[in-house]
Amino acid sequence: MQKNVLRSGIELSELGLGCMSLGTDIKQAEPIIERAIEQGITYFDTADIYDKGVNEDIVGSVLKKYQDRSDIVIGTKVGNHLADDGYPLWDPSKAYIKEAVKGSLKRLGLDHLDLYQLHGGTIDDPLDETISAFDELKQEGIVRAYGISSVRPNVIDYYLKHSDIETLMSQFNLIDNRPEALLDDVHAKKVKVLARGPVFKGLLTTNSNQALDDKFSEGVFDYTYQELGETIASIKEIENNLSSLTFNYLTSHDALGSIIVGASHVDQLDENVENYKRSKDISLEKLKAARNRVKNLEYTQHLK
Ligand SMILES: NC(=O)c1ccc[n+]([C@@H]2O[C@H](COP(=O)([O-])OP(=O)(O)OC[C@H]3O[C@@H](n4cnc5c(N)ncnc54)[C@H](OP(=O)(O)O)[C@@H]3O)[C@@H](O)[C@H]2O)c1
């Protein structure tokens, strides 16, 4: 498995496991994580908010036996805490971040984090205070590197200019190609993109028809449901293996750090790894032809 290196030297497997869809039963989650390791995946993405901390608990306890392996990298996220009514409350304050990291370390069973990311945020946040929290955690050796997860150009721009982020996590796939517009700036700052939603909840898999009906019945972004179906059919004429196509599209960008693909079953994981391997065989001509058949999406909000 190819590795992509962050500025701090942390190596991420080019295909990472998005742990959000593992569920809360460790008996179901463990085989998926174990299989990911067998398949050469060494980067695992979680967040304190996933299943109210249970996801970090599960990831931590399954990966505990690999703690001697320096190549296994876990990234988690902070910024939302659960209010008493169970709803997430946004809090990017330094006091909160520096307290919350202790909970993530405990649940993951670690004494430091490889990668800590701000889980969202707006331009109205106390941005310099938030950045200072991450800088301090780095200086204190509690985190090795930090990043943000955002789809807001104004927020991303601020962090690129005023912080030491090493990663930007954003939804990114052949259909949701909005991040393309950010990539020159991201790459210039030697920041790596963590592409979440690479198979677009199953739309870019062999299960595309079902995913289209179940998850995109209202359409998405500039696409109506019908347009999305037609576009999927049209790119399938070029390459039937939609997952390999979207993985090839993502790896064609120099700024890519890792493709964070989720899986709720071992079979899905196996299929995703196989399609990642096959993606290397897709020609540039096919990629260009497929890219020409999808819309050029742009971020329309949070620009300033
Ligand atoms: N703001 C953030 O930071 C943020 C937000 C969202 C996600 N994430 C991270 O990114 C990861 C991936 O995001 P995502 O789950 O939205 O996107 P995704 O990887 O595009 O979709 C994962 C889902 O797609 C389906 N799927 C995956 N492989 C499949 C296959 N081979 N065949 C058929 N269906 C397949 C499964 O749905 P079913 O389970 O329905 O079968 C799976 O749960 C998450 O796990 C999480 O770690 C971060």
Side-chain angles (χ1 to χ4, degrees):
M1 171 88 56
Q2 159 134 5
K3 298 278 180 80
N4 294 323
V5 189
L6 304 185
R7 286 200 312 274
S8 53
I10 295 172
E11 294 188 359
L12 306 180
S13 52
E14 192 164 69
L15 194 68
L17 182 66
C19 295
M20 188 177 77
S21 30
L22 293 178
T24 52
D25 181 353
I26 193 164
K27 287 198 208 84
Q28 286 187 15
E30 186 165 16
I32 302 175
I33 298 176
E34 292 287 2
R35 189 81 184 121
I37 290 181
E38 272 171 42
Q39 292 272 26
I41 289 176
T42 54
Y43 181 57
F44 296 85
D45 176 83
T46 178
D48 56 2
I49 196 94
Y50 296 165
D51 292 317
K52 301 178 183 172
V54 174
N55 197 255
E56 284 186 333
D57 274 331
I58 289 178
V59 170
S61 63
V62 176
L63 292 180
K64 201 176 172 61
K65 57 171 111 42
Y66 299 103
Q67 61 192 8
D68 292 342
R69 271 181 59 172
S70 57
D71 60 334
I72 303 278
V73 176
I74 302 175
T76 191
K77 312 188 200 81
V78 65
N80 296 286
H81 64 87
L82 292 177
D84 293 341
D85 57 10
Y87 281 94
L89 212 61
W90 181 239
D91 190 347
S93 68
K94 182 186 283 193
Y96 176 65
I97 291 169
K98 294 196 76 173
E99 192 53 36
V101 73
K102 296 176 193 164
S104 285
L105 287 170
K106 190 159 180 242
R107 287 186 290 274
L108 288 165
L110 299 170
D111 58 9
H112 71 276
L113 294 174
D114 296 315
L115 180 61
Y116 204 32
Q117 296 153 108
L118 187 69
H119 204 169
T122 78
I123 202 69
D124 300 319
D125 287 350
L127 299 167
D128 294 335
E129 179 186 328
T130 307
I131 291 167
S132 157
F134 283 100
D135 282 334
E136 284 180 21
L137 288 174
K138 212 171 135 178
Q139 280 153 18
E140 291 159 7
I142 297 170
V143 310
R144 288 178 68 199
Y146 68 87
I148 56 165
S149 176
S150 180
V151 290
R152 297 180 179 207
N154 55 2
V155 174
I156 294 166
D157 185 57
Y158 193 92
Y159 277 85
L160 285 176
K161 288 184 176 140
H162 303 285
S163 80
D164 276 333
I165 55 165
E166 295 192 38
T167 55
L168 165 64
M169 175 174 269
S170 267
Q171 180 164 283
F172 195 14
N173 58 58
L174 189 56
I175 298 290
D176 185 0
N177 48 37
R178 294 174 301 169
E180 277 184 19
L182 306 168
L183 293 183
D184 284 348
D185 289 348
V186 168
H187 192 51
K189 291 283 184 182
K190 298 189 168 59
V191 168
K192 290 290 184 192
V193 172
L194 306 184
R196 68 170 170 88
V199 297
F200 219 0
K201 307 181 199 318
L203 185 70
L204 298 171
T205 67
T206 47
N207 198 32
S208 63
N209 290 343
Q210 187 79 44
L212 179 69
D213 286 348
D214 292 353
K215 299 176 182 172
F216 296 92
S217 59
E218 305 290 316
V220 67
F221 305 122
D222 296 356
Y223 291 89
T224 62
Y225 163 81
Q226 194 181 338
E227 283 174 333
L228 195 56
E230 286 165 4
T231 302
I232 294 297
S234 171
I235 54 178
K236 267 183 166 174
E237 286 168 6
I238 295 166
E239 172 56 62
N240 197 41
N241 189 328
L242 296 173
S243 296
S244 291
L245 197 56
T246 190
F247 295 156
N248 179 282
Y249 166 70
L250 292 168
T251 56
S252 73
H253 300 292
D254 291 338
L256 181 79
S258 188
I259 299 170
I260 311 300
V261 65
S264 53
H265 302 281
V266 172
D267 292 355
Q268 288 182 348
L269 177 91
D270 281 340
E271 199 176 304
N272 295 338
V273 174
E274 185 55 33
N275 289 330
Y276 164 74
K277 289 180 188 159
R278 289 187 187 174
S279 72
K280 304 288 176 191
D281 298 330
I282 290 191
S283 67
L284 189 56
E285 287 70 33
K286 270 193 180 181
L287 175 62
K288 281 185 180 165
R291 178 65 188 79
N292 279 336
R293 291 195 184 186
V294 299
K295 294 189 187 194
N296 298 318
L297 297 189
E298 288 176 7
Y299 293 111
T300 54
Q301 292 176 314
H302 312 291
L303 301 177
K304 289 189 180 159

